[in-house]
Amino acid sequence: MSESERAEIERFQRDVIEPSMTQLVLIDFWAEWCGPCKQLSPLLDKIAGDYADKGVRLVKLDVDAEKFIAAQFRIQSIPTVYAMYQGQPVGDLSAFRTEPQFTKAIDQLLAQFKVPSEGAAAEADIVPLLAMGEDVLAGGDAARAAAIFSQIREMAPGDAAAIGGLARALLASGDMDAARAALDEAPAALAEAPDIARARAALELASAPAADTAALDARIAADPDDHGARLELAGARAAAGDRDGAADALLEIIGRERDWNGGAARQRFLQLLEAQGLADPWASAQRRRLSAVLFT
């Protein structure tokens, strides 16, 4: 075997065989002098772009430059288009010339061989990192958690859990401006995502203005029905990280006058739960407390 043939094999191994272990690779055998090849090329480029996130990759092999590989595939006419998966040819798409023909065949191959999409692969990669970030944040190391969530966001810029986690970690580290910026930079389509909503709720609670809690306590002692003072006290406690104290104050308002100020206490209470995470055991326990107040 000559050096040039060995080089062709190495390129084919790198550009086709290795990617085909996880992707459906379309091989376009072509040549510069081939008119039909040039006509087909833009269509293949478009299809490859449309299917890129579904696990499809296009590789173009010039039969004049890759003579040894072309001979191994017994290429007798061009354009020739093969599909490969996990190192094996799985389809001959050479007869196709229209987009519907190609897409139908590609869809069938993707379904038949259960080719993972890039989105699914990326999600699989970041799931354990997201769990690590949440564990680190729960353990109190906000700076390290922020670093982990930042890494995830670089891997998956549109992942709501990574953006929300980063904002909460920055908030926990005391950088409220950076937390707000992280949320403001999130794609508009993610505005209603639970992870984004949770982080925004936490940011809003943490943004409560500083208050003289001693003065508020004195007002409440003098008038237990001073719901305005109690609501302000709940906000101050939430901003200081005293979720239990905030919940107690809000439930006291709801128990005394559930619809006060348009249900402001109940809305703030639900925001407190959202900021904690609705699936959190603490939030579940507080929902039970709310139900007990409302229905007894």
Side-chain angles (χ1 to χ4, degrees):
M1 180 180 296
S2 67
E3 287 298 322
S4 63
E5 291 173 344
R6 186 174 291 105
E8 284 186 48
I9 292 174
E10 290 177 355
R11 285 195 297 271
F12 189 76
Q13 177 73 26
R14 181 191 65 233
D15 297 339
V16 177
I17 298 298
E18 292 178 3
S20 79
M21 293 298 107
T22 56
Q23 295 175 290
L24 183 70
V25 178
L26 304 181
I27 312 174
D28 174 25
F29 289 95
W30 72 290
E32 184 64 36
W33 46 263
C34 173
C37 297
K38 293 183 177 181
Q39 292 176 349
L40 184 62
S41 182
L43 176 58
L44 291 176
D45 289 338
K46 179 182 184 301
I47 292 171
D50 292 343
Y51 278 80
D53 62 350
K54 297 181 181 179
V56 176
R57 174 190 180 101
L58 175 64
V59 176
K60 298 185 179 186
L61 292 183
D62 184 340
V63 295
D64 290 332
E66 311 290 337
K67 293 180 180 179
F68 182 77
I69 297 299
Q72 299 305 303
F73 277 86
R74 299 180 181 177
I75 303 300
Q76 296 180 342
S77 64
I78 51 174
T80 291
V81 182
Y82 287 147
M84 290 193 68
Y85 185 59
Q86 294 188 341
Q88 300 295 324
V90 294
D92 184 350
L93 285 58
S94 303
F96 302 150
R97 289 294 181 271
T98 67
E99 185 171 351
Q101 289 175 326
F102 276 107
T103 57
K104 180 180 179 180
I106 292 170
D107 286 339
Q108 290 174 343
L109 291 170
L110 291 174
Q112 177 182 350
F113 294 101
K114 297 180 174 57
V115 179
S117 67
E118 286 195 4
E123 183 177 354
D125 289 339
I126 68 174
V127 166
L129 289 177
L130 287 170
M132 179 190 301
E134 292 293 349
D135 287 343
V136 171
L137 182 56
D141 192 344
R144 182 175 169 228
I148 293 171
F149 286 121
S150 292
Q151 177 187 351
I152 300 170
R153 192 176 63 167
E154 291 179 3
M155 296 169 61
D159 188 83
I163 297 170
L166 174 60
R168 288 187 291 110
L170 290 169
L171 191 60
S173 66
D175 197 341
M176 192 175 299
D177 290 340
R180 183 176 288 106
L183 292 173
D184 289 344
E185 292 169 2
L190 298 180
E192 302 302 321
D195 292 290
I196 301 296
R198 177 185 178 186
R200 286 203 181 279
L203 179 61
E204 185 172 342
L205 289 172
S207 301
D212 183 348
T213 57
L216 292 172
D217 284 331
R219 284 174 54 186
I220 295 168
D223 180 7
D225 288 326
D226 187 345
H227 302 323
R230 206 182 294 272
L231 183 67
E232 191 175 346
L233 178 63
R237 287 176 174 172
D242 181 6
R243 62 183 186 180
D244 290 324
D248 291 345
L250 294 169
L251 286 173
E252 184 67 23
I253 298 173
I254 297 168
R256 288 175 176 272
E257 190 177 347
R258 68 178 62 182
D259 295 323
W260 172 77
N261 196 20
R266 183 161 43 181
Q267 293 170 13
R268 184 64 61 84
F269 186 84
L270 294 176
Q271 184 184 53
L272 184 66
L273 302 190
E274 185 175 41
Q276 185 63 34
L278 297 179
D280 185 86
W282 182 86
S284 298
Q286 297 306 315
R287 279 199 301 272
R288 291 192 292 271
R289 292 182 67 197
L290 176 62
S291 297
V293 170
L294 292 174
F295 300 110
T296 56

